[in-house]
Amino acid sequence: MAAPATQWSFQKKILVLTVGITVLLSAVSLYSARYMIGQLKVGYTRQFELISDSIEYGIAAQFFERYGDIQAFAANPGIQSPSRDEIVGHLNTYIALYGIYDLITVVDKTGRLVAVNSKSPAGKDIQVSGLYQKNFSEESWFKATLAGQFIEDKERNFSGTYVEDPRFSPLVSEAYSDENAYNNVFAAQLKNRKGEIIGVIANHAGFRWVEGELVAGAQMLKDAGYTRGDVLLVNKQGVVLSEVDQTQAQNGAYVASRDKNVVGALNLSATNNAVVEVLKGKDGLTETLH
């Protein structure tokens, strides 16, 4: 890398020095510039690492909670009550207490909807009557959970829950009249006292449980002096699952994008240098645009 012009011109001013000394001075100057730039790079690299680690830890902690919640709900005997009203009462309680879930669906082995919450996390009525007319037997989360195809890491005690990537959810959109409803599913088997599988229970989590961590990361970047960045979460194929663009703040607050041309659609596996390196299992710092 070339030294700054002021450093190179310094050679021309010291005409009384020998060529050997001039070369030595220029070498020391170049070394000093590189050293200072290197130290600056180490500094802001460390800043980015700390912010990235904070986001990662936040999402991991949330994931652990979400992964276990559905199994705890499945273990509640009240979820198997013969009374739909009783089941709905339990589901509404969970919805209000946790604030993360937009829908909790209880489905029998044939895909018939047994019960779903009738209230939003804010306690408002939602439109679920049409959901009872649907059959869920072809839903990917239903088929995978019924077949025991869980997302597992038994060394870390993750077992028994199926997890899907987020997507714009037609079910939640219908219930909430919100075409931008963006959710991911955590599902578990329902078993009777004999241990027989009798159905599937699924939490349709608003992806705000992840988006909140990305927004916090964007704010940390701002606090560190970086205000034109992009905080991205991609899946293992390189598809953007969530994005917080610092240049798109609303009323001074950072928000997660719901741009359907980007979220769940834009694949950066071949066009974004940072994503390319991450998908190779590498970490570090690079400059890139998307």
Side-chain angles (χ1 to χ4, degrees), residues 106-118:
V106 178
V107 183
D108 71 13
K109 286 183 68 174
T110 69
R112 180 182 65 88
L113 182 63
V114 175
V116 62
N117 55 292
S118 61

Side-chain angles (χ1 to χ4, degrees), residues 205-277:
F207 209 56
R208 53 190 175 272
W209 71 271
V210 167
E211 293 168 337
E213 303 299 333
L214 302 188
V215 167
Q219 184 61 49
M220 284 187 282
L221 283 172
K222 179 182 179 181
D223 294 342
Y226 306 101
T227 59
R228 298 185 63 81
D230 219 3
V231 182
L232 290 171
L233 178 69
V234 301
N235 65 12
K236 62 183 179 181
Q237 285 80 36
V239 176
V240 175
L241 298 182
S242 190
E243 175 193 42
V244 177
D245 184 345
Q246 286 184 303
T247 67
Q248 301 297 318
Q250 297 180 8
N251 299 319
Y254 294 133
V255 294
S257 172
R258 292 292 171 84
D259 183 346
K260 293 181 180 179
N261 293 317
V262 176
V263 177
L266 181 61
N267 192 312
L268 300 175
S269 61
T271 59
N272 184 294
N273 294 336
V275 172
V276 170
E277 294 303 306

Side-chain angles (χ1 to χ4, degrees), residues 160-229:
T161 296
Y162 175 76
V163 186
E164 277 194 338
D165 277 355
R167 61 176 177 172
F168 290 96
S169 170
L171 294 178
V172 179
S173 293
E174 178 178 337
Y176 286 78
S177 299
D178 178 7
E179 64 179 14
N180 289 319
Y182 191 57
N183 300 72
N184 76 305
V185 173
F186 294 82
Q189 294 175 343
L190 284 169
K191 297 181 179 180
N192 61 21
R193 292 181 179 180
K194 298 179 180 180
E196 299 167 334
I197 300 170
I198 59 172
V200 170
I201 181 171
N203 286 343
H204 304 255
F207 209 56
R208 53 190 175 272
W209 71 271
V210 167
E211 293 168 337
E213 303 299 333
L214 302 188
V215 167
Q219 184 61 49
M220 284 187 282
L221 283 172
K222 179 182 179 181
D223 294 342
Y226 306 101
T227 59
R228 298 185 63 81

Side-chain angles (χ1 to χ4, degrees), residues 7-287:
Q7 295 171 338
W8 286 110
S9 62
F10 182 71
Q11 301 170 45
K12 300 176 182 179
K13 295 179 180 179
I14 311 180
L15 299 176
V16 296
L17 296 178
T18 65
V19 173
I21 294 177
T22 301
V23 172
L24 177 61
L25 285 175
S26 65
V28 171
S29 178
L30 182 59
Y31 171 79
S32 297
R34 284 177 172 169
Y35 177 78
M36 287 186 290
I37 292 172
Q39 289 300 103
L40 286 172
K41 186 174 182 180
V42 168
Y44 63 71
T45 297
R46 184 57 181 156
Q47 279 187 317
F48 287 137
E49 286 178 345
L50 289 172
I51 293 170
S52 177
D53 287 347
S54 177
I55 296 171
E56 180 183 358
Y57 176 80
I59 293 174
Q62 286 271 4
F63 181 85
F64 182 82
E65 294 294 329
R66 307 288 78 78
Y67 194 97
D69 284 349
I70 189 62
Q71 294 188 44
F73 297 175
N76 178 359
I79 297 298
Q80 297 184 29
S81 169
S83 166
R84 173 179 289 174
D85 288 344
E86 181 180 346
I87 300 174
V88 170
H90 287 292
L91 301 183
N92 285 340
T93 297
Y94 288 143
I95 291 288
L97 285 176
Y98 287 80
I100 294 293
Y101 306 115
D102 293 324
L103 291 178
I104 306 176
T105 50
V106 178
V107 183
D108 71 13
K109 286 183 68 174
T110 69
R112 180 182 65 88
L113 182 63
V114 175
V116 62
N117 55 292
S118 61
K119 302 283 187 181
S120 72
K124 297 181 179 180
D125 290 335
I126 57 175
Q127 304 168 41
V128 297
S129 58
L131 301 187
Y132 284 104
Q133 309 306 313
K134 301 181 184 296
N135 186 282
F136 294 81
S137 59
E138 292 303 312
E139 292 284 343
S140 54
W141 52 264
F142 176 82
K143 292 192 290 186
T145 305
L146 203 62
Q149 297 170 354
F150 306 123
I151 305 301
E152 298 186 317
D153 184 346
K154 293 184 179 180
E155 290 184 0
R156 293 178 173 82
N157 295 319
F158 288 108
S159 181
T161 296
Y162 175 76
V163 186
E164 277 194 338
D165 277 355
R167 61 176 177 172
F168 290 96
S169 170
L171 294 178
V172 179
S173 293
E174 178 178 337
Y176 286 78
S177 299
D178 178 7
E179 64 179 14
N180 289 319
Y182 191 57
N183 300 72
N184 76 305
V185 173
F186 294 82
Q189 294 175 343
L190 284 169
K191 297 181 179 180
N192 61 21
R193 292 181 179 180
K194 298 179 180 180
E196 299 167 334
I197 300 170
I198 59 172
V200 170
I201 181 171
N203 286 343
H204 304 255
F207 209 56
R208 53 190 175 272
W209 71 271
V210 167
E211 293 168 337
E213 303 299 333
L214 302 188
V215 167
Q219 184 61 49
M220 284 187 282
L221 283 172
K222 179 182 179 181
D223 294 342
Y226 306 101
T227 59
R228 298 185 63 81
D230 219 3
V231 182
L232 290 171
L233 178 69
V234 301
N235 65 12
K236 62 183 179 181
Q237 285 80 36
V239 176
V240 175
L241 298 182
S242 190
E243 175 193 42
V244 177
D245 184 345
Q246 286 184 303
T247 67
Q248 301 297 318
Q250 297 180 8
N251 299 319
Y254 294 133
V255 294
S257 172
R258 292 292 171 84
D259 183 346
K260 293 181 180 179
N261 293 317
V262 176
V263 177
L266 181 61
N267 192 312
L268 300 175
S269 61
T271 59
N272 184 294
N273 294 336
V275 172
V276 170
E277 294 303 306
V278 167
L279 295 181
K280 292 178 181 177
K282 299 179 181 180
D283 55 16
L285 181 68
T286 187
E287 295 182 5

